[in-house]
Amino acid sequence: MSLVRLNIKGISYSQTQNGAYALILSEVDGDRKLPIVIGAFEAQSIAIALEKEIKPPRPLTHDLFKNFSDRFDIVVKQVIIHKLVDGVFYSSLICERDKIEEIIDARTSDAIALALRFQAPIFTYKNILDKAGIYLKVNKEDEQKADNILVDEVLAEEIETSAGQDNFKGKTLKELQKMLDQAVTNEDYETAARIRDEISKR
């Protein structure tokens, strides 16, 4: 499968959904964009890495990882977004130490926050871009507006999916436990927390 290189286009804050962010990646040799819903903490970490002038007084979690890696001569060579399952992107960090390569599983938002700090390239497979990439052909003036509309559409879809999963009342404990395991597997920790709260109530 062929790899497609991606650039970080930026982070967009939803105009309609409070506290919701999407990371916009764009293909280097094309016009498609890959929007990925991320949490507020990861959005802040990525934004800080993008803005070279902003230096937090104490290291953030991703800065700590970078400092730790530097101390032990570990380099993140590249990030690959390698899988898309039920709207969740899965990524790998390709690391190297003493000329030995290791592959480490990571959430996509964390992987990109680290790629920025290591100045590592970001790739995805062509089939993932074919499946989830969005083609927007707009002029430069309308680009930001188009990005905001795109983000709101992506987040609305995400919220709709979550709302469908929020009907926990009629579920048995066994069904809830199964749903909790599924949410954790899908890295949907917000839904997992709501299911856990429902289990605790009982």
Side-chain angles (χ1 to χ4, degrees), residues 5-150:
R5 186 160 178 181
L6 301 169
N7 278 337
I8 297 170
K9 178 86 176 45
I11 296 169
S12 286
Y13 179 74
S14 171
Q15 306 299 304
T16 57
Q17 308 298 335
N18 204 19
Y21 296 85
L23 175 68
I24 311 271
L25 301 173
S26 58
E27 61 178 325
V28 170
D29 297 315
D31 296 311
R32 285 177 296 181
K33 293 180 180 178
L34 196 63
I36 299 171
V37 177
I38 60 172
F41 170 76
E42 292 80 7
Q44 178 193 46
S45 181
I46 291 167
I48 285 170
L50 286 168
E51 292 292 327
K52 303 288 182 231
E53 287 78 43
I54 301 171
K55 262 292 196 222
R58 304 289 297 136
L60 299 176
T61 307
H62 298 110
D63 299 319
L64 174 63
F65 185 97
K66 172 73 164 71
N67 295 341
F68 181 89
S69 301
D70 288 346
R71 184 64 56 94
F72 292 97
D73 295 321
I74 300 163
V75 178
V76 173
K77 303 291 281 184
Q78 60 184 7
V79 164
I80 299 175
I81 302 168
H82 62 86
K83 193 164 70 169
L84 173 61
V85 180
D86 299 330
V88 178
F89 292 92
Y90 292 78
S91 294
S92 295
L93 300 171
I94 313 300
C95 303
E96 190 180 89
R97 181 172 184 243
D98 295 332
K99 297 187 179 169
I100 297 167
E101 203 170 82
E102 297 285 351
I103 299 171
I104 299 172
D105 182 39
R107 292 188 308 162
T108 298
S109 51
D110 290 327
I112 287 167
L114 290 170
L116 279 166
R117 285 162 172 81
F118 283 90
Q119 296 176 339
I122 301 159
F123 296 94
T124 192
Y125 289 110
K126 185 181 178 296
N127 65 325
I128 291 176
L129 202 54
D130 290 342
K131 191 174 170 185
I134 294 167
Y135 184 82
L136 286 179
K137 196 71 181 159
V138 289
N139 58 39
K140 286 284 175 214
E141 294 80 55
D142 295 334
E143 202 166 4
Q144 188 57 52
K145 195 194 234 177
D147 283 351
N148 288 340
I149 292 166
L150 170 64

Side-chain angles (χ1 to χ4, degrees), residues 154-188:
V154 169
L155 291 167
E157 199 178 301
E158 182 92 353
I159 285 159
E160 209 174 283
T161 306
S162 299
Q165 294 169 342
D166 261 2
N167 188 15
F168 304 137
K169 300 278 183 246
K171 304 286 182 190
T172 65
L173 275 174
K174 195 174 179 181
E175 287 171 327
L176 286 172
Q177 190 59 55
K178 195 174 177 184
M179 286 170 73
L180 176 62
D181 294 343
Q182 188 62 51
V184 171
T185 301
N186 291 340
E187 298 179 12
D188 184 357

